[in-house]
Protein backbone atom coordinates (compact mmCIF):
# COMPACT_ATOMS: atom_id res chain seq x y z
CA UNK A 1 0.00 0.00 0.00
CA UNK A 2 1.26 3.49 -0.72
CA UNK A 3 0.38 7.04 0.18
CA UNK A 4 -2.74 7.33 -1.99
CA UNK A 5 -4.48 4.09 -1.09
CA UNK A 6 -6.59 2.96 1.82
CA UNK A 7 -7.76 -0.64 1.72
CA UNK A 8 -7.13 -1.22 -1.96
CA UNK A 9 -4.58 -1.03 -4.75
CA UNK A 10 -3.50 2.15 -6.40
CA UNK A 11 -4.63 1.98 -10.02
CA UNK A 12 -1.49 3.92 -10.92
CA UNK A 13 0.54 0.88 -9.81
CA UNK A 14 2.72 2.62 -7.27
CA UNK A 15 3.48 5.74 -9.26
CA UNK A 16 1.74 7.94 -6.70
CA UNK A 17 -0.87 8.95 -9.23
CA UNK A 18 -4.40 7.98 -10.04
CA UNK A 19 -5.53 5.53 -12.64
CA UNK A 20 -8.64 4.41 -14.47
CA UNK A 21 -10.51 1.12 -14.35
CA UNK A 22 -13.05 0.52 -17.11
CA UNK A 23 -15.40 -2.02 -15.52
CA UNK A 24 -17.95 -3.74 -17.74
CA UNK A 25 -20.72 -5.19 -15.58
CA UNK A 26 -23.52 -6.44 -17.85
CA UNK A 27 -27.00 -7.20 -16.56
CA UNK A 28 -27.21 -10.24 -14.30
CA UNK A 29 -23.51 -10.31 -13.39
CA UNK A 30 -22.55 -10.48 -9.72
CA UNK A 31 -26.06 -10.05 -8.45
CA UNK A 32 -26.89 -7.10 -10.71
CA UNK A 33 -30.30 -8.27 -11.86
CA UNK A 34 -32.11 -6.54 -14.68
CA UNK A 35 -30.97 -5.18 -17.99
CA UNK A 36 -28.86 -2.17 -18.78
CA UNK A 37 -32.04 -0.33 -19.79
CA UNK A 38 -33.77 -0.78 -16.42
CA UNK A 39 -30.84 -0.56 -14.01
CA UNK A 40 -31.18 2.58 -12.00
CA UNK A 41 -28.72 2.01 -9.20
CA UNK A 42 -25.80 0.97 -11.34
CA UNK A 43 -23.33 -1.77 -10.62
CA UNK A 44 -22.96 -2.75 -6.97
CA UNK A 45 -19.48 -4.03 -7.83
CA UNK A 46 -18.41 -0.66 -9.24
CA UNK A 47 -19.76 1.10 -6.16
CA UNK A 48 -17.94 -1.31 -3.83
CA UNK A 49 -14.69 -0.80 -5.74
CA UNK A 50 -15.05 2.96 -5.51
CA UNK A 51 -15.50 2.59 -1.75
CA UNK A 52 -12.29 0.54 -1.46
CA UNK A 53 -10.08 2.87 -3.50
CA UNK A 54 -8.96 6.18 -2.06
CA UNK A 55 -9.39 8.85 -3.20
CA UNK A 56 -11.91 7.63 -5.72
CA UNK A 57 -14.43 8.64 -8.37
CA UNK A 58 -17.24 6.47 -9.80
CA UNK A 59 -18.42 7.41 -13.30
CA UNK A 60 -21.17 5.68 -15.30
CA UNK A 61 -20.96 5.86 -19.09
CA UNK A 62 -24.77 5.78 -19.21
CA UNK A 63 -24.80 9.12 -17.38
CA UNK A 64 -22.89 10.72 -20.25
CA UNK A 65 -25.71 9.70 -22.60
CA UNK A 66 -28.47 10.78 -20.21
CA UNK A 67 -27.28 14.40 -20.17
CA UNK A 68 -28.10 14.83 -23.86
CA UNK A 69 -31.33 16.82 -23.70
CA UNK A 70 -32.31 17.46 -27.30
CA UNK A 71 -31.71 14.99 -30.10
CA UNK A 72 -30.82 11.98 -27.99
CA UNK A 73 -31.27 8.73 -29.87
CA UNK A 74 -31.84 5.26 -28.52
CA UNK A 75 -28.44 3.53 -28.35
CA UNK A 76 -29.62 0.96 -30.90
CA UNK A 77 -31.20 3.47 -33.31
CA UNK A 78 -29.71 4.03 -36.75
CA UNK A 79 -27.38 7.02 -36.66
CA UNK A 80 -26.67 6.77 -32.93
CA UNK A 81 -22.99 5.91 -33.50
CA UNK A 82 -21.84 9.56 -33.30
CA UNK A 83 -23.75 10.01 -30.04
CA UNK A 84 -22.21 6.85 -28.54
CA UNK A 85 -18.67 7.79 -29.59
CA UNK A 86 -19.06 11.34 -28.26
CA UNK A 87 -20.43 10.21 -24.89
CA UNK A 88 -17.68 7.61 -24.52
CA UNK A 89 -15.02 10.21 -25.36
CA UNK A 90 -16.51 12.58 -22.75
CA UNK A 91 -16.43 9.78 -20.16
CA UNK A 92 -12.80 8.99 -20.99
CA UNK A 93 -11.73 12.63 -20.81
CA UNK A 94 -13.49 13.10 -17.47
CA UNK A 95 -12.00 9.89 -16.08
CA UNK A 96 -8.44 10.82 -16.99
CA UNK A 97 -8.90 14.40 -15.77
CA UNK A 98 -9.70 12.96 -12.35
CA UNK A 99 -6.87 10.42 -12.62
CA UNK A 100 -4.29 13.11 -13.36
CA UNK A 101 -5.54 14.83 -10.20
CA UNK A 102 -4.61 11.71 -8.22
CA UNK A 103 -8.01 10.02 -8.09
CA UNK A 104 -8.64 6.30 -8.59
CA UNK A 105 -11.46 6.23 -11.16
CA UNK A 106 -13.95 3.42 -11.73
CA UNK A 107 -15.75 3.86 -15.05
CA UNK A 108 -18.83 1.64 -15.09
CA UNK A 109 -20.12 0.35 -18.43
CA UNK A 110 -23.28 -1.74 -18.78
CA UNK A 111 -21.80 -3.30 -21.92
CA UNK A 112 -18.37 -3.50 -23.48
CA UNK A 113 -17.55 -0.35 -25.44
CA UNK A 114 -17.22 -0.85 -29.19
CA UNK A 115 -13.74 0.55 -28.90
CA UNK A 116 -11.38 1.44 -26.10
CA UNK A 117 -9.29 3.68 -28.35
CA UNK A 118 -10.45 6.88 -26.68
CA UNK A 119 -9.44 5.49 -23.26
CA UNK A 120 -6.09 4.28 -24.61
CA UNK A 121 -5.42 7.68 -26.18
CA UNK A 122 -6.19 9.48 -22.91
CA UNK A 123 -3.98 7.02 -21.02
CA UNK A 124 -1.06 7.70 -23.37
CA UNK A 125 -1.65 11.46 -23.28
CA UNK A 126 -1.90 11.75 -19.50
CA UNK A 127 0.43 8.94 -18.46
CA UNK A 128 -2.26 7.54 -16.13
CA UNK A 129 -2.75 3.78 -15.94
CA UNK A 130 -5.69 2.11 -17.69
CA UNK A 131 -7.19 -1.18 -16.49
CA UNK A 132 -9.99 -3.10 -18.22
CA UNK A 133 -12.15 -5.77 -16.56
CA UNK A 134 -15.25 -7.43 -17.98
CA UNK A 135 -17.39 -9.25 -15.43
CA UNK A 136 -19.01 -12.35 -16.89
CA UNK A 137 -21.18 -15.24 -15.75
CA UNK A 138 -19.42 -17.74 -18.00
CA UNK A 139 -15.93 -19.05 -18.49
CA UNK A 140 -13.72 -16.14 -19.59
CA UNK A 141 -13.31 -15.89 -23.35
CA UNK A 142 -10.77 -13.05 -23.34
CA UNK A 143 -7.87 -12.17 -21.05
CA UNK A 144 -9.85 -9.25 -19.60
CA UNK A 145 -12.90 -11.26 -18.55
CA UNK A 146 -13.42 -12.35 -14.96
CA UNK A 147 -16.02 -15.01 -14.11
CA UNK A 148 -18.05 -13.64 -11.20
CA UNK A 149 -21.30 -15.51 -11.91
CA UNK A 150 -21.32 -17.46 -8.63
CA UNK A 151 -20.04 -14.56 -6.52
CA UNK A 152 -21.80 -11.94 -4.44
CA UNK A 153 -21.09 -8.31 -5.32
CA UNK A 154 -18.73 -8.11 -2.31
CA UNK A 155 -16.66 -11.15 -3.33
CA UNK A 156 -16.74 -10.04 -6.98
CA UNK A 157 -15.29 -6.67 -5.93
CA UNK A 158 -12.56 -8.48 -3.96
CA UNK A 159 -11.77 -10.56 -7.07
CA UNK A 160 -11.46 -7.39 -9.14
CA UNK A 161 -9.18 -5.83 -6.51
CA UNK A 162 -7.00 -8.94 -6.70
CA UNK A 163 -6.54 -8.68 -10.49
CA UNK A 164 -5.85 -4.96 -10.16
CA UNK A 165 -3.14 -5.69 -7.61
CA UNK A 166 -1.66 -8.34 -9.90
CA UNK A 167 -1.93 -5.89 -12.84
CA UNK A 168 -3.19 -8.70 -15.09
CA UNK A 169 -5.86 -6.46 -16.63
CA UNK A 170 -3.64 -3.45 -17.28
CA UNK A 171 -4.08 -2.03 -20.81
CA UNK A 172 -1.43 0.64 -20.66
CA UNK A 173 -0.18 4.02 -19.49
Amino acid sequence: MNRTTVGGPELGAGRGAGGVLVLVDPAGTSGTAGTSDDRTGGSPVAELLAQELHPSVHLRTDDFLQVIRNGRLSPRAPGSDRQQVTALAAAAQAAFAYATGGYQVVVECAEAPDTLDTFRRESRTTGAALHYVILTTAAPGTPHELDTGALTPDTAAKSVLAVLTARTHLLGW
Side-chain angles (χ1 to χ4, degrees), residues 53-98:
L53 301 167
H54 180 77
S56 68
V57 173
H58 176 193
L59 300 175
R60 296 178 59 212
T61 56
D62 287 348
D63 292 341
F64 287 85
L65 288 168
Q66 296 302 317
V67 296
I68 299 171
R69 293 292 175 239
N70 193 0
R72 181 174 58 206
L73 301 170
S74 167
R76 311 259 190 276
S80 67
D81 292 349
R82 180 178 67 102
Q83 170 184 279
Q84 299 294 104
V85 168
T86 301
L88 195 61
Q93 291 169 359
F96 282 95
Y98 279 112

Side-chain angles (χ1 to χ4, degrees), residues 47 50 66 98 113 132 141 163:
E47 185 60 34
Q66 296 302 317
Y98 279 112
Y132 183 52
V163 300

Side-chain angles (χ1 to χ4, degrees), residues 16-171:
V20 174
L21 164 63
V22 176
L23 180 73
V24 179
D25 191 357
T29 302
S30 305
T32 57
T35 66
S36 60
D37 293 330
D38 65 13
R39 285 178 22 187
T40 57
S43 166
V45 176
E47 185 60 34
L48 289 166
L49 288 168
Q51 290 174 13
E52 288 295 318
L53 301 167
H54 180 77
S56 68
V57 173
H58 176 193
L59 300 175
R60 296 178 59 212
T61 56
D62 287 348
D63 292 341
F64 287 85
L65 288 168
Q66 296 302 317
V67 296
I68 299 171
R69 293 292 175 239
N70 193 0
R72 181 174 58 206
L73 301 170
S74 167
R76 311 259 190 276
S80 67
D81 292 349
R82 180 178 67 102
Q83 170 184 279
Q84 299 294 104
V85 168
T86 301
L88 195 61
Q93 291 169 359
F96 282 95
Y98 279 112
T100 58
Y103 289 89
Q104 314 306 313
V105 184
V106 179
V107 180
E108 174 191 342
C109 302
E111 57 189 46
D114 289 336
T115 179
L116 290 172
D117 289 345
T118 188
F119 285 93
R120 284 187 172 118
R121 186 172 40 256
E122 291 294 324
S123 176
R124 283 191 304 271
T125 300
T126 63
L130 171 61
H131 302 264
Y132 183 52
V133 177
I134 303 169
L135 303 184
T136 181
T137 58
T142 71
H144 294 283
E145 290 182 352
L146 184 63
D147 181 3
T148 57
L151 304 178
T152 66
D154 188 52
T155 54
K158 288 178 181 162
S159 293
V160 173
L161 288 171
V163 300
L164 292 175
T165 301
R167 295 190 290 185
T168 57
H169 292 63
L170 183 66
L171 280 182

